[in-house]
Amino acid sequence: MTTYSTDFQTFTARDGAKLPYRYFEGPSDTVLIFLHGITEPSLYLREFGKYISEQNLATVYLPDLRGYGDSPIRRGDIDYVGQLDDDLEDLFRFIQTRHPNAAILFGGHSAGGATALRQAIRPIHADVHAYLLISPALSPNSPLNRKDGNNNESKVSIPKYALLMGLNALGIQRFNDTVVYRRLTPPEKLHGTESCNLSYRLAKSRMVDNQFENYLQRLNPSTFVFVGEEDEVFDAHAYEPLYSKHSSAQVRVLAGHNHDKIVKTNEAFVIVAEWMRSVRREKL
């Protein structure tokens, strides 16, 4: 029997799967749905979610996406490319039923930011009040990706990824369970609920495609992009010129913060809280 921590609840996806999310109750008029990164489930965002709810800024939902978490259906894998989008639409509609008059903020950290951005071209975008993107990824060939050799403990098999993209373009999908992403962190440094080996169909579902401008152009003017100046995965100073070219999003770079620290310190939390208060004032 699966046992979750006390802040876990579940919703039912369209295929009948019971998918977990962490829940932190706050004001009923504002909801934040916030997505985790490429290998970690929502555990590392727990303090962030608690802070937002305890500051009376929003009710917070932190889903463990399919393929992730304490006891996933298949760790590191899903059934088809885009299944996470369907799951998020199901979660979004479930939340709308629970909070019928709430302004819904949508976002994520790292790959969670890219997964949130994928929704900008999907039906739920019309009901998203604003996006919160923290150290957000984009596409596999994004200009945000660092070219100087960073300390990111991961490896993407570009040849496999490219081959599978080509096969999928021909309608051949039977090899989509092939692992294309591996986290290389030593086992003794892991807590045990990470998804370190990701299939093509899951990895593909975490990123936008290389026509990323189609997603950025649809972002709400209230969108907030927040990144640490010492980010070791993405080029922090590439965000503002890219986002300003394609959107009206506000971009802020925080000194003394790297890729993960940006979602863990009180200094960062306070800045996000300021943005959320401004969004709430706009709504009134």
Side-chain angles (χ1 to χ4, degrees):
M1 179 177 179
T2 301
T3 302
Y4 295 117
S5 59
T6 55
D7 51 36
F8 262 120
Q9 298 184 17
T10 63
F11 73 100
T12 304
R14 64 191 63 186
D15 66 343
K18 300 288 186 182
L19 300 178
Y21 60 88
R22 284 186 161 87
Y23 175 79
F24 301 98
E25 188 170 2
S28 60
D29 64 344
T30 308
V31 170
L32 172 64
I33 306 170
F34 199 77
L35 309 180
H36 59 77
I38 194 69
T39 61
E40 295 278 351
S42 65
L43 177 65
Y44 77 104
L45 296 170
R46 193 172 183 273
E47 294 308 311
F48 173 74
K50 285 178 62 179
Y51 178 90
I52 297 300
S53 68
E54 289 171 357
Q55 292 296 309
N56 207 36
L57 295 167
T59 291
V60 181
Y61 289 77
L62 303 177
D64 274 359
L65 298 173
R66 190 185 296 250
Y68 293 87
D70 289 7
S71 185
I73 299 168
R74 291 194 314 281
R75 187 173 299 283
D77 192 21
I78 54 179
D79 295 334
Y80 54 89
V81 173
Q83 188 172 30
L84 298 182
D85 300 323
D86 291 342
D87 289 344
L88 288 170
E89 183 173 342
D90 295 340
L91 173 62
F92 197 93
R93 300 308 181 199
F94 165 74
I95 289 171
Q96 285 183 308
T97 300
R98 295 184 78 182
H99 309 271
N101 300 309
I104 299 181
L105 313 179
F106 200 95
H109 170 246
S110 192
T115 310
L117 269 172
R118 287 175 62 93
Q119 310 318 304
I121 64 168
R122 289 180 57 86
I124 63 174
H125 171 72
D127 296 322
V128 174
H129 188 74
Y131 288 86
L132 171 62
L133 307 172
I134 302 182
S135 306
L138 203 53
S139 67
N141 294 319
S142 159
L144 300 176
N145 297 336
R146 291 180 64 120
K147 308 297 192 294
D148 56 355
N150 56 61
N151 296 319
N152 187 26
E153 297 178 331
S154 64
K155 181 176 178 60
V156 179
S157 176
I158 299 299
K160 286 183 181 178
Y161 200 98
L163 175 60
L164 288 161
M165 284 187 67
L167 290 173
N168 275 257
L170 297 173
I172 301 170
Q173 301 176 357
R174 66 174 183 243
F175 304 111
N176 283 1
D177 60 345
T178 301
V179 171
V180 297
Y181 179 102
R182 298 184 188 276
R183 179 171 172 178
L184 306 177
T185 306
E188 62 271 16
K189 294 185 178 181
L190 300 174
H191 53 69
T193 65
E194 301 91 345
S195 295
C196 294
N197 300 312
L198 306 182
S199 70
Y200 170 79
R201 54 194 170 205
L202 190 152
K204 178 79 168 153
S205 299
R206 299 301 317 265
M207 299 289 150
V208 303
D209 58 46
N210 286 326
Q211 282 72 51
F212 51 79
E213 61 274 7
N214 296 335
Y215 302 83
L216 300 182
Q217 288 166 1
R218 293 174 61 84
L219 288 174
N220 319 61
S222 298
T223 293
F224 184 44
V225 181
F226 190 34
V227 60
E229 188 172 32
E230 299 173 8
D231 196 300
E232 68 278 21
V233 181
F234 303 119
D235 180 356
H237 297 290
Y239 281 90
E240 199 285 328
L242 179 67
Y243 275 80
S244 64
K245 181 179 180 180
H246 299 292
S247 76
S248 300
Q250 175 190 352
V251 177
R252 181 161 177 179
V253 178
L254 181 60
H257 286 64
N258 63 14
H259 190 71
D260 291 332
K261 188 177 180 182
I262 196 82
V263 289
K264 294 181 177 178
T265 73
N266 191 68
E267 183 181 2
F269 291 174
V270 168
I271 292 170
V272 172
E274 290 172 354
W275 170 76
M276 293 190 72
R277 289 190 183 97
S278 71
V279 170
R280 285 171 60 82
R281 284 194 296 270
E282 289 172 8
K283 185 171 64 70
L284 296 177

